[in-house]
Amino acid sequence: MACPSQEQLAQIALGFEESPHLASCPNCRAAVEAMQSLIRELDEAHSRFEPGHDEARGRLLANLPTIRASHRHVAKCQLSHWIGRLTMRQRFALSGTGVLAAAAVVMLWLGMTAKPAFALEKVTESIRQATSYQMLISLELVPVQEPGKPVATRGQVLHRDEITWQAPNSYVTDSKDPAFQDSLEILPSDRPGLRLDRRRKTYDRVSPRRGYVSPLFVMAKLARYSGEADRQLGTKKIDGKPAIGFVIDAKKIDPDSYPGPVEIWVDSRSSLPVLVLFTTNTSGQNILIREDNFRWNQPIDPGLFDTTPPKGYTDATPKPPSLAEQIGHLTKALSNYAVLSGGHYPRGKMVYGDVTRDEMVKLSGLAEFPPRTDEQIRDKRSVLIREAGMGFGHLNVILRENSDAAYHGKSVGPKDKDKILLRWKLDDGTYAALFGDLHSETLSEARLREIEAK
């Protein structure tokens, strides 16, 4: 069955028509919901301002979405043509207070002809201008639908953290899981951080994170996103406030992240996220990453980023691996990946440990991982994946904490013995470099630039 035209959708949104088609078409349903949401917003704006007063009229117009001049004439012609076909009852409904509904139709036609990225521009700009946020992030098992039982809306919570972020790039992660951990990680943007284990009363010193952030902190990547939404979700109320939803593929936001759709709901007035849902498969399980309870631009106590160890806590900072140990683990991990992939390394700029492990499982063709039986444990493919874990953990840390690290997995392969695959800066100012054939060298900055310029 063909979808209704924009004119028919507008009449449905205004209550002049009904259509059973909406029940089976999420795109048309989302379009009508978006129209109805805008009509409600315009009615609210109208109630706040007296339209007969010039000043109030100006403020009312300021509440309307920004209009692209290139669409004005087209929309005006569309509206005139549509109104000419209305019945007398419908025309009467559009007079007086109904004028606001007609204005909503104009706005929506303009929005439909504009690119979806136009709405995202306000979202990304609002995130870039934010000074802080707090939120809850949870990892949940995706509930399995059981025959004859209602669909579960929430799955078993595996892990839940409270995240506090402050511009430009400071994080605090508070983890309180009765069966898992009770920890606090403090990561200021300008100095080393601190990780507390509140059960053991120990602390670790943490290197500054000057490189890539976790793929779970999607806000950092979304602020720089310049593409379009893959799908619009319409509107709904979240915490009693109207919100607008859209979907973007995770790989568009962060090419090196987990694959899967990211569902983002933003406050229709502030254009700031209020709910993020991200479903992916990791370690053979379907996991829902939920980010909610956002509080944007609230004052943050400076003491939250104090990295002074509490009294009574013991220093348990692990001894960092030597350069030779790091290179040994890195070489093993990259070599094993190349075996399973047919001759290439992870293709990206950032290598996340869990994401890369899941890629290796997929490349291996294993039915499940981690292994459960003795036979699965001895399987060569399973061994290759387990052996790679330590090395990709090192690579993740290098790219996360070293501001002058670079990985070239997209362009450098095992046959490129003269090209640098990975390099990072050492404490003495020289660089560790791993080449395509996985031999390593320590280079001066001048020699590094000379090789990379070829």
Side-chain angles (χ1 to χ4, degrees):
M1 180 179 179
C3 292
S5 66
Q6 291 185 7
E7 296 174 8
Q8 291 170 321
L9 291 175
Q11 293 191 51
I12 294 168
L14 290 167
F16 297 145
E17 292 186 9
E18 295 183 357
S19 175
H21 172 77
L22 299 185
S24 59
C25 182
N27 290 335
C28 289
R29 186 166 62 251
V32 169
E33 289 174 353
M35 292 180 182
Q36 292 171 336
S37 175
L38 185 51
I39 290 170
R40 288 193 296 271
E41 290 185 23
L42 287 165
D43 283 336
E44 291 175 5
H46 180 267
S47 67
R48 291 195 301 269
F49 305 116
E50 181 182 348
H53 192 279
D54 288 341
E55 179 182 352
R57 182 173 179 274
R59 284 182 286 159
L60 172 60
L61 293 175
N63 274 261
L64 301 178
T66 304
I67 302 174
R68 287 187 171 178
S70 61
H71 297 291
R72 289 177 181 170
H73 177 70
V74 174
K76 183 177 180 182
C77 293
Q78 288 177 324
L79 182 63
S80 299
H81 175 69
W82 174 59
I83 289 178
R85 294 165 50 191
L86 294 179
T87 65
M88 184 61 69
R89 181 180 64 83
Q90 291 169 336
R91 290 193 193 194
F92 179 77
L94 283 174
S95 64
T97 58
V99 170
L100 289 175
V105 175
V106 176
M107 295 297 103
L108 286 161
W109 268 330
L110 295 174
M112 289 174 181
T113 54
K115 292 183 177 180
F118 179 62
L120 284 181
E121 291 174 4
K122 294 197 296 185
V123 175
T124 56
E125 179 64 21
S126 296
I127 296 174
R128 285 195 298 272
Q129 292 180 355
T131 59
S132 69
Y133 69 75
Q134 292 172 291
M135 69 166 179
L136 294 179
I137 179 170
S138 62
L139 274 64
E140 305 173 8
L141 277 175
V142 175
V144 178
Q145 172 62 25
E146 297 184 28
K149 292 187 177 181
V151 178
T153 57
R154 300 293 293 264
Q156 176 189 353
V157 176
L158 302 176
H159 187 63
R160 193 160 178 83
D161 297 332
E162 181 174 357
I163 306 294
T164 300
W165 170 84
Q166 186 174 52
N169 197 34
S170 297
Y171 288 92
V172 171
T173 302
D174 194 342
S175 303
K176 294 179 179 178
D177 289 336
F180 187 64
Q181 65 179 345
D182 185 359
S183 65
L184 183 70
E185 189 172 53
I186 306 168
L187 300 171
S189 60
D190 57 349
R191 63 188 188 277
L194 190 72
R195 184 184 296 113
L196 303 178
D197 186 326
R198 289 179 290 216
R199 287 182 179 171
R200 296 184 175 89
K201 301 294 183 182
T202 60
Y203 68 89
D204 297 351
R205 295 291 184 182
V206 181
S207 299
R209 300 196 174 180
R210 295 176 174 140
Y212 289 80
V213 298
S214 166
L216 299 182
F217 296 154
V218 69
M219 296 304 144
K221 300 295 177 72
L222 189 60
R224 299 192 292 273
Y225 183 70
S226 59
E228 300 178 357
D230 296 321
R231 183 160 50 93
Q232 304 288 343
L233 297 175
T235 63
K236 68 177 180 180
K237 283 194 174 182
I238 297 178
D239 297 330
K241 298 179 181 179
I244 301 171
F246 52 91
V247 174
I248 305 176
D249 186 270
K251 290 288 188 180
K252 293 183 178 179
I253 300 174
D254 182 354
D256 305 308
S257 179
Y258 303 97
V262 180
E263 184 177 317
I264 302 168
W265 291 87
V266 301
D267 186 295
S268 60
R269 295 183 179 177
S270 69
S271 294
L272 287 168
V274 292
L275 175 65
V276 177
L277 302 171
F278 178 20
T279 302
T280 189
N281 185 284
T282 179
S283 298
Q285 294 181 317
N286 289 322
I287 301 295
L288 172 66
I289 301 167
R290 180 189 301 271
E291 300 178 4
D292 57 12
N293 289 344
F294 279 90
R295 288 157 287 165
W296 287 91
N297 299 320
Q298 299 297 311
I300 303 297
D301 181 359
L304 191 62
F305 295 98
D306 183 1
T307 56
T308 304
K311 290 183 178 180
Y313 276 64
T314 304
D315 188 349
T317 305
K319 180 182 177 181
S322 68
L323 179 59
E325 289 172 330
Q326 280 185 306
I327 290 175
H329 289 305
L330 289 166
T331 300
K332 171 62 74 173
L334 292 163
S335 176
N336 287 8
Y337 188 100
V339 170
L340 293 178
S341 69
H344 68 81
Y345 302 126
R347 291 169 171 164
K349 292 183 177 180
M350 175 59 185
V351 178
Y352 298 114
D354 291 350
V355 176
T356 308
R357 178 205 58 213
D358 291 345
E359 288 176 357
M360 292 184 74
V361 172
K362 186 176 181 179
L363 289 167
S364 73
L366 288 171
E368 62 179 352
F369 192 88
R372 301 177 185 273
T373 66
D374 290 343
E375 183 180 357
Q376 290 174 337
I377 291 172
R378 291 192 299 269
D379 189 301
K380 181 179 178 180
R381 297 167 297 175
S382 179
V383 173
L384 289 172
I385 296 169
R386 294 199 305 274
E387 288 179 346
M390 184 71 75
F392 284 126
H394 284 313
L395 183 50
N396 196 158
V397 170
I398 288 170
L399 295 174
R400 184 184 66 200
E401 298 180 357
N402 197 300
S403 61
D404 204 358
Y407 172 74
H408 303 291
K410 286 185 178 180
S411 57
V412 178
K415 296 181 181 180
D416 297 314
K417 63 179 181 179
D418 298 324
K419 292 184 179 180
I420 294 176
L421 172 65
L422 170 69
R423 51 96 160 160
W424 69 100
K425 196 170 187 177
L426 303 175
D427 292 339
D428 62 2
T430 61
Y431 286 80
L434 201 60
F435 288 76
D437 64 353
L438 299 184
H439 83 272
S440 62
E441 296 182 23
T442 301
L443 307 172
S444 66
E445 182 173 358
R447 178 57 180 155
L448 172 70
R449 306 307 176 199
E450 180 184 340
I451 294 173
E452 291 188 329
K454 293 180 180 179

